Structures are given as C-alpha cells and as structure tokens.
Amino acid sequence: MLSQMNYRKETQPHGDELFPLSIHVFETDLQSTVRVYCHWHEEVELFYAVKGEAVFHMDTETFLLREGETAFVNANRLHEVEGIDGQEFTFLAVVFQPRFLSGTSLDRIQQQYIEPVLSSEIRFPSKTERGTRLAEKTAQAMQEIRNLQERKEPGWELLLKAELLKIWQGYYSAAEKNGGKTDASTNYRVSRMKEILTYMNAHFCEDLEIAELASQFHMSDEQNHFVLEMRGITKSFPGVLALDKVNLKVREGSVHVLVGENGAGKSTLMKVLSGEHAIDSGEIWFKGEKLDNQDTKAALEMGISMIHQELSPVLDMTIAENIYLGREPVVEGNPLLTPFKTFVDFRRMYDETQQLLDKLGLKYDPRQQMRELSIAAMQLIEITKAISRQASLIIMDEPTSAISDTEVEMLFKQIADLKQHGVAIIYITHKMDEIFQIADDITIIRDGQYVDSNVASAYDENKLISLMVGRTISNIFPKEHAEIGETVLELKNVTRNGAFRNVSFSVRKGEILGLSGLVGAGRTEVARAIFGLDPIDDGEICLEGQPIKLKTSSDAIRHGIAMVSEDRKAEGLVLCRSVKENISLANLKKFAPNLLLDSGKEQSEGMRMREMLRIKTPSLMTAAGNLSGGNQQKIVIAKWLLGDLKVLILDEPTRGIDVGSKSEIHKLMTQFAQQGLAIIMISSELPEILGMSDRVIVMHEGGVRGEIERKDASQENIMALATGGKQ
C-alpha cells in the first residue's frame, strides 16, 4: 500500500510576475536530515552546496553534490535531494523563470543563449566539479546572490541579475552542443515517471494499491508490462541447432537490445517472431495472445514489423511503391467502364509517402526508383516502411550499419517518439556506443542459447562483451607497427562524372590508408573505379609507378587489386554455392592450374580460412546464403586473402560483424600490412578509422577535402573536413 507522498509538479510560482525569482536556504544538523522530495517545475533551479554533501537525483542521474559544487536543474526536470544521516548540510536554492535573464520580449539573449538550453539543443553540465574554474566562479556568484538577498541594499535586484548572467555564461561555455542527443533514450522513462507521480499526488488521500497503479499505467505488478514473451524457443536446420530453448521478454514502450556474436541466433530468433521460420518447440505470446501457426502476414496483421539487416527492395519500383507494397491505397473503379473494381490511388500513395519522408527529415522523391538509391538510403526507406505500418513492435536488425551519424540521430529521435506512443523496439546491433545510448533492456544470446537479460544499467562494455563472446576482448583495434615502403597505388586527378572529381591520393606498401567521409561523399565510388567496376572519365591510376587501364574487375584482379564490397550479397558472394566454393571462387587458377580442380587443396585452404577468420558454419559444404551476415562477410574477405595481392580495398569491412570478429579481422589487416600489402579501408565508424589507419584521406561531396597523418587524427578534425570545414 502506498501512503501520501510529496512527489508532484510544483505549480506555485516562485517570486512574482515582476520579479520571478525566489531564494531558499536549507540547513540540517547532526540530529536531522533534509530531504527535498522528487518534483519538477517550469522554472530553472540552481542548488549550491554551502556546507556538507547530499545525494542529488535528476531524471535518471544520481550523483553526490559536495561542498562548493552547484547542480543545474533545467525546466521540467525531475529532481530530488537527500541529506546524509549524521552529516550537517546547508545548501542554497535559487529558483527563477528563464525570462528573468532576458526580459519578457524575445531578444538575442533569449534566442541564442536561453531557448537552446530549455529545448536541450544545448545541454548544461548537471553539476560543477569541485576544483574546476566553473565551480569556483559559480560558487562565488551563488554566495554573492545570498549576500545580496540578505542585505537588500538599493539596486540589489540589478546586481543579483548580473550574477545569474555570469553563472549562465559559465555554464554555456562548458555546455555540450549535442542537439539533445543524450536525452533521447530517457525521455520516455521520465515522462512516465511524471505521469505516475502526478496520479499519486492527485489521489494521495486514497489507499493506492500497487496493482491499481500497474493497471492504470499498463504495467504488471512488477512494474513490467510485457508486450512480448518468447518462451523456450527451439529451432533446428539440417545439421544446425540454431536456437536452443531461448527466452525473451520485451516491455511495452521500451528499446530492448538483443546482442550476441554473429551466428549466435539473433536474426533467426527474430525471423521466428516475424513468421519467416516456424519453431520446433516453445511458445510466443504477443499482447496477451498466444501466437500459433505464425507466418509473415499474420505477424504484420498482429502489429509486428521487421527491418532486415539484408535489404531486399524491388529495385524497379519507386520509393512509394516499395513502402506500400501489398497494401496500396485504392480508388473504386466504375464497373460499367472496366471489369476491374479497384485502381491504385497513386496520388494518395505519393502524398502519404511524402508526409512520412518529411516527418523523418528524409530528402527523397517518392517517385524515385529504388535502384537509384545508395545502400544507406535503401535502409532508411525500409525504416520508413516499418514505421508506416503503425506496428506495436518493430524489429530493427542492424538498422544503422550503412547510415551516417546525422541519419542515426534522426532514427534515434524517431525511436524516442515511437516509445512515447507505447511502441516496443527490438534492436539488434554490434555497436557498443549505440547499445548504451539507446537500450532500456538487454538480452544476450550465445551459440543459440540464452545467456542473460537485465536492464541496460546492469552492464558495462567489458561485462557485455565477455557475456557475448565468452572471453575477454582486450584490444579491438590491434594496430601494430608495419614497415611502410614505396608507393604501390596512386590516383592522379581521377574523375568520374557525377560521382567524384579530381581525386588524388596514394597508398604505400605496408600502409593502411583510411578513406573517411559522410555517406554520399564518393568513397565507395572511388573504390569501384580502382577495382574496375566503373569507368573513369579523366585522370590516371598508376600501379608501382606505371599507368594502368582498368576496364573491368578482371583487369584489377590481374594487376593484384582486390575489393571487399559493402554489398556482399550482390557483389561478393554466390549465395546458392557452398562456403568452400565461394572461398576459392576468385582464385580458381590456384586450385585448377591444369583445368582440373584440386579438390583436396581447395578443401584444405577452405579449412585454413575457416579457422583463421572463425567462420561459423557446420560444414564447408553449407550454402553461403544460410549463414549469418557477419559470417558471409568473412567468406568474402577470405576469398581475397588467398590471392596474390598488392592492393586490398576494404569497403566497410566490419559492417554487421560482432566485436570478437572485428578484432580478428583487424588483426588480419595488421598482419597483411606487415607482409607488405597496401590496404585502402573505407569505414563509416570513426573509431575504426582512427584505430587502424596510418593516414586518413577525408572526402566531401565527391572531392578530397584533406589528408591527416595518424598522429594528428581525431574525430573532431575528421568530421570538420567531412562536413566541408577546415582541419
């Protein structure tokens, strides 16, 4: 049973209309404890610890506020202060309307320095750290504010306002200009907390039962309302036990991150849920209803939508036609004029698609064909398609694997909006920064078996990696020294009309050259030209000082140039053929010098690559299409590693690959660099670029924007160049 609690939104104004500010002093001694219960208000508040220390709670943060430190509480943030038993504590609270700093009308102060803070486009530090210049300046100003309020000498209001402006300027200088990104994953939880607290305060005279609150806010008695429960899910394929009694529970309005190595069974589990695979045993409960005879149509009708890691758009259809495929809006036809009863309402379909794209901030034409889009753009359209279905549960399998940071931020904002509307998200990713940024809950599976599940705050990166891989990964970027020799490949003012222009750079023997830039900058297009997939219109490509003509990929291979494409299914594998055949495919002359295939050699080399790259496959005879995306990528890399190479181009080499496999591939890159191979690595992951590159070439809008040596490279100067700025 819940008793009366002073947890509420504070509606009583602080100060008055002409002077919207109030100052409070809280003191305690050794025999008593001060507590300011959890509440929120539209004013901004500054808490200054004059003496002692206390525990401060703000939204989902908890920290110790020590003597001399100040906590900044933005408008409408939940906050609570707890004194510590047996400790004396004094603190000063200044509560004021933000307009107090600028006045009642909009001015530059309000527009540039105040409104962005209130909207979280600019995030002030939660507290000043003792010993910093900000803490010292803020402490001096807060003490002066207390003195001014006590003395109230003529003009004291002017001086008080001046001190507050000093504090605001100090916080502004130390602020994160992050577009509110860090709040995206907590907004829903905080809003739910406010709803519950408001209800409790309104009914404080009543005997409130936990069960009543749970029912009111669609939670269980354990404060968990599971929209999905998968119990003891088992699934086998010929020769493979893919899932072995796996459990998964997903809360309504939450992001549940599903993690594990490639081949762990994550995608298989989701394909079971979405109706693509039938289960051998186990139960699926969705919104309180048991799902029997699950198929994809039934799943969609129930409100389960999945965004696959491997895209399968209809390339010759428009964006709008792909989004509404199978559920096109129709207009009734005239049965007197035509035997057909319905027609597709294209105008409505294009208008509704445009509205969806605008909502997500995507600058695409609904009438544009899918084949004209990049992989990143196709992925964004798939996300748009899932959102358009108004599902109760959306499965996102590596949704950010091929999109830019800006597009990731757009996606996360959309996810936050979906959560606020009660939509649950199952999110599969290998990116650690994403996991801890967006996850409410995490489930780990390994080798088709359930390992652990808990709230995201129960894990740190090391613990999570250890549970995923069953071992400790000490160094994901094992960059070691390699002797860098003479220039192997050089581009001189190479141009492909409409794709890139006047691109010049070189890569040397034993060097890993990072090619960075935003999606659409022209990185992949340059790589395709080097590998002979696309012709160049101007400029020169030289190998070991000699100009070469690359009309086809065969020309490139003959010259010792290989490329691992970012689109492994379309350009890297023959999915219906075996693992062994795919590994040997690019080097058939090595295995059949006399036109007769040496199957023994092919088998032994296949086994060696399998062990080296830790390819998870029941057999070398397994079709490549039956393996996970990460293991498919390893096969693509393996087939080139068998060749007689001079230059290896890696376009997103670790896209969709787990942390354990990433480390192994990076080690291989280092080994081959040490053996004298020249490597060009394209990556959208800046940590990978920084961790593995000897030099970085940064592209922007089809041209080379700059070149950075390893010792000078940082995320900041790479992004500055990638966005068109200066280093």
Side-chain angles (χ1 to χ4, degrees), residues 229-233 245-249 281-285:
E229 291 190 58
M230 303 181 76
R231 306 170 183 169
I233 303 299
K245 298 182 177 65
V246 175
N247 300 318
L248 179 66
K249 292 182 177 181
S281 63
E283 294 181 346
I284 303 174
W285 290 80

Side-chain angles (χ1 to χ4, degrees), residues 106-361:
L106 183 67
D107 64 1
R108 183 180 294 176
I109 303 295
Q110 184 80 16
Q111 186 178 50
Q112 185 171 340
Y113 298 105
I114 297 176
E115 288 298 331
V117 176
L118 300 179
S119 65
S120 294
E121 292 177 17
I122 294 174
R123 184 176 175 87
F124 281 3
S126 296
K127 72 161 187 171
T128 60
E129 293 291 342
R130 193 164 58 184
T132 63
R133 180 60 179 157
L134 176 62
E136 293 173 1
K137 288 177 62 177
T138 305
Q140 291 172 5
M142 291 294 286
Q143 291 166 356
E144 182 61 22
I145 287 171
R146 183 180 184 183
N147 294 334
L148 289 167
Q149 192 262 349
E150 289 176 350
R151 295 195 303 265
K152 292 188 177 178
E153 297 174 349
W156 72 277
E157 298 97 337
L158 293 171
L159 295 173
L160 188 150
K161 188 172 183 176
E163 294 299 327
L164 280 179
L165 286 168
K166 287 181 185 177
I167 293 173
W168 199 273
Q169 188 276 331
Y171 269 96
Y172 188 89
S173 298
E176 298 178 36
K177 279 73 170 179
N178 66 352
K181 186 175 180 180
T182 56
D183 286 335
S185 64
T186 62
N187 284 344
Y188 176 76
R189 280 176 285 175
V190 173
S191 67
R192 291 278 282 177
M193 289 166 63
K194 288 179 177 179
E195 291 174 10
I196 294 168
L197 295 176
T198 300
Y199 184 86
M200 290 166 59
N201 191 70
H203 296 81
F204 72 90
C205 290
E206 305 170 18
D207 291 337
L208 295 179
E209 300 287 345
I210 293 289
E212 181 184 341
L213 276 178
S215 175
Q216 181 72 25
F217 294 98
H218 309 292
M219 301 183 297
S220 75
D221 291 354
E222 300 170 342
Q223 297 187 354
N224 293 309
H225 179 67
F226 296 114
V227 67
L228 170 72
E229 291 190 58
M230 303 181 76
R231 306 170 183 169
I233 303 299
T234 298
K235 177 64 182 176
S236 296
F237 298 100
V240 183
L241 181 59
L243 300 171
D244 184 14
K245 298 182 177 65
V246 175
N247 300 318
L248 179 66
K249 292 182 177 181
V250 179
R251 293 186 289 129
E252 184 182 76
S254 70
V255 174
H256 197 114
V257 174
L258 184 62
V259 298
E261 289 190 279
N262 289 115
K266 306 183 300 294
S267 296
T268 302
L269 185 65
M270 294 300 97
K271 287 177 180 178
V272 165
L273 177 58
S274 63
E276 293 185 44
H277 296 324
I279 58 175
D280 299 333
S281 63
E283 294 181 346
I284 303 174
W285 290 80
F286 183 66
K287 296 193 292 188
E289 182 178 340
K290 186 179 180 183
L291 303 185
D292 294 315
N293 302 317
Q294 182 79 326
D295 58 33
T296 54
K297 183 179 180 182
L300 288 170
E301 290 174 350
M302 287 288 294
I304 301 171
S305 184
M306 181 169 179
I307 303 167
H308 291 271
Q309 179 185 357
E310 305 299 337
L311 306 176
S312 54
V314 184
L315 297 178
D316 291 321
M317 284 187 171
T318 65
I319 290 173
E321 288 170 330
N322 270 270
I323 289 174
Y324 284 97
L325 187 63
R327 53 191 182 102
E328 297 86 351
V330 297
V331 293
E332 295 295 325
N334 188 334
L336 298 176
L337 300 177
T338 176
F340 300 103
K341 294 183 179 181
T342 58
F343 295 94
V344 175
D345 190 344
F346 283 99
R347 178 177 293 181
R348 178 183 160 194
M349 185 169 67
Y350 289 133
D351 287 346
E352 290 181 358
T353 301
Q354 189 65 64
Q355 292 173 18
L356 280 168
L357 296 173
D358 291 344
K359 182 181 179 181
L360 294 174

Side-chain angles (χ1 to χ4, degrees), residues 361-519:
L362 303 178
K363 307 299 183 183
Y364 301 118
D365 185 347
R367 294 171 174 79
Q368 189 175 1
Q369 282 196 344
M370 291 294 290
R371 67 168 58 256
E372 298 173 4
L373 303 180
S374 66
I375 296 294
M378 290 182 187
Q379 196 146 25
L380 289 171
I381 298 305
E382 283 296 308
I383 293 168
T384 306
K385 181 178 180 178
I387 291 171
S388 74
R389 295 183 179 275
Q390 298 181 336
S392 303
L393 172 67
I394 298 178
I395 305 162
M396 299 185 177
D397 192 354
E398 299 281 358
T400 64
S401 60
I403 62 179
S404 67
D405 289 344
T406 301
E407 292 160 335
V408 170
E409 188 173 343
M410 289 163 43
L411 172 63
F412 284 2
K413 286 180 180 178
Q414 187 61 40
I415 288 174
D417 183 64
L418 290 168
K419 286 174 60 180
Q420 293 209 35
H421 288 86
V423 178
I425 312 290
I426 297 177
Y427 195 98
I428 300 175
T429 184
H430 294 116
K431 299 178 179 179
M432 288 292 153
D433 58 334
E434 287 187 3
I435 293 173
F436 292 106
Q437 183 179 342
I438 200 170
D440 297 303
D441 306 300
I442 299 173
T443 290
I444 305 111
I445 60 175
R446 184 172 70 239
D447 297 329
Q449 295 181 324
Y450 170 88
V451 175
D452 195 33
S453 186
N454 212 328
V455 295
S457 58
Y459 305 99
D460 59 28
E461 184 171 327
N462 290 332
K463 181 179 179 180
L464 197 57
I465 290 173
S466 180
L467 289 170
M468 285 170 55
V469 304
R471 61 191 186 279
T472 302
I473 303 296
S474 59
N475 191 359
I476 297 175
F477 304 109
K479 185 73 172 76
E480 298 177 6
H481 175 72
E483 194 68 34
I484 296 177
E486 68 276 9
T487 298
V488 178
L489 182 77
E490 185 176 9
L491 276 67
K492 299 179 180 179
N493 297 316
V494 176
T495 296
R496 175 169 168 78
N497 296 331
F500 55 86
R501 64 193 179 279
N502 298 325
V503 171
S504 298
F505 64 79
S506 63
V507 58
R508 294 166 289 181
K509 188 175 181 181
E511 183 181 37
I512 299 177
L513 179 71
L515 196 56
S516 187
L518 302 178
V519 173

Side-chain angles (χ1 to χ4, degrees), residues 271 310 569 573-579 582 622-629 632 635:
K271 287 177 180 178
E310 305 299 337
K569 282 195 170 183
L573 295 166
V574 183
L575 297 175
C576 62
R577 308 303 296 182
S578 70
V579 172
N582 273 277
T622 301
N626 292 338
L627 301 187
S628 68
Q632 289 176 355
I635 295 171

